[in-house]
Amino acid sequence: MRHAVLHSGNQYIFETENNVSVSFTHKRHAFNIFVNPGENLWTFDLEGRLMGMFFEGKNIRRTLDNRFYLKTRELIGLDVFRTVRELSQIDYQKEYAKGREYLEEYQTELPDDVQKIANKILEWDLDKLNGQANEFTKVYKPISILPPDQYLALVVQITEGCSYNKCAFCNFYRDRKFKIKSIKAIEEHLLSIKDFIGEGIHVRRSIFLGDANALIIPQNQLIATFYAINHHYPYLTNIYSFIDVYTGIMKTSDDFAALAQMGLKRVYLGVETGNPELLELLNKPRIDSNLHKLVFDLKQGGIDVGIIFLAGIGGNTFADKHVKDSIELVDQLSLRAGDIVYVSEYYNTNPEYQKVVDDAGVEGMNRKEIRRQANYLRQQLKYILPKQVKISVYDIQQFFY
Ligand code: SF4
């Protein structure tokens, strides 16, 4: 038995005799079901696909290619470490079914426009969601990583892979050959993204150009690419991309200014360390003065930068040099409002890295030591950077698309 519905803005709340409240919120970008006590929450995109749920204390995220992950926290000493584990269907089917049950029970009492989205959600069962894995692969190569402030971007893979692909610590793109797509292929890609994302587009806040160094595309073709993107997504006016030093320096400040005019806001550079010896060990091309020139040209062109450092890389052997040279490097870059410096705790995901450091006799770091170095780096960065430059954590494990 339940009490009458309470309506507050775009939220519809039902109170039962057992003092359980069930609310449905139809937002501009998503739909939520919230049940209290228990604070259980289900979030769907406006296409009706589950995005995530918080159920009986379990924080579960679903990706567009239909993988489900459980996010947890682990305490080691006084440090909290966030962990992520992929789930099998048996681990999340009950939780998903429970959200649908609430919707089935109350949907006829909701106003017409809310019923419409409720019906859409109910059209998706687990089989139909499973089919999304296959649909995703027709549109995208795996989306390996995005910067944390871009997790809600719409990815457009105008290139695939990494043009270099040889850094010993990185295996984000080892599964694919580098490829620059033709304008025709990009147009087709944009149309297939539209079909696939549908009303789910309302969750997306910006465009991110995939994959590792999309701006390597020759300038004329890049302008045509931006034009096509602006045409298909005129309401997603901010565009972001990774860039690397060795391809970035092929562009001039005028090139960057032209891209800024078409929406390019910030580019992200995996600098990893300021120490040249460590870069060489990692098989990452040395940056030297090219980085300064690239950052200067980007600034001249009106584009912000995100600089990424890897805490723990090079282990205890390189710790002092890595920290000192990285801080010195940042100090020389004249960063300003709009720029971000990310510190990412290194996870050893590439066996190549282990071989390289073992061969060089490098003494590794455990997770707590890596955390300590990350904290120290961030603290030192605070001393040298203007307040307007953000210093932030980049946890690659927390990325889901
Ligand atoms: S770190 Fe960047 S440049 Fe190096 S292989 Fe990975 S994606 Fe390519």
Side-chain angles (χ1 to χ4, degrees), residues 162 164-167 169-170 173-174 212 244 246 272 284:
C162 167
Y164 180 66
N165 220 8
K166 286 188 241 163
C167 301
F169 58 90
C170 165
Y173 306 104
R174 290 290 204 266
D244 60 69
Y246 33 97
E272 334 302 357
K284 180 142 191 162

Side-chain angles (χ1 to χ4, degrees), residues 270-279 282 287 291-292 307-314 318-333 335 341-344 373-374 376-378 380-381 384-385:
V271 168
E272 334 302 357
T273 177
N275 181 255
E277 194 191 338
L278 179 54
L279 277 178
L282 300 173
I287 42 183
L291 174 66
H292 301 81
I307 306 272
I308 304 152
F309 288 95
L310 283 178
I313 197 89
F318 279 89
D320 292 346
K321 290 189 264 186
H322 171 41
V323 169
K324 180 177 158 292
D325 292 348
S326 298
I327 297 292
E328 266 177 33
L329 179 66
V330 173
D331 203 18
Q332 293 159 9
L333 292 179
L335 301 181
V341 181
Y342 280 116
V343 178
S344 181
Q373 186 178 83
Y376 183 69
L377 263 168
R378 282 202 305 277
Q380 295 302 305
L381 287 166
I384 59 159
L385 284 169

Side-chain angles (χ1 to χ4, degrees), residues 50-51 61-69 400-401:
L50 181 76
M51 293 170 62
R61 287 288 311 270
R62 175 185 169 272
T63 60
L64 279 175
D65 60 351
N66 205 51
R67 285 170 293 130
F68 285 71
Y69 291 94
F400 307 96
Y401 188 69

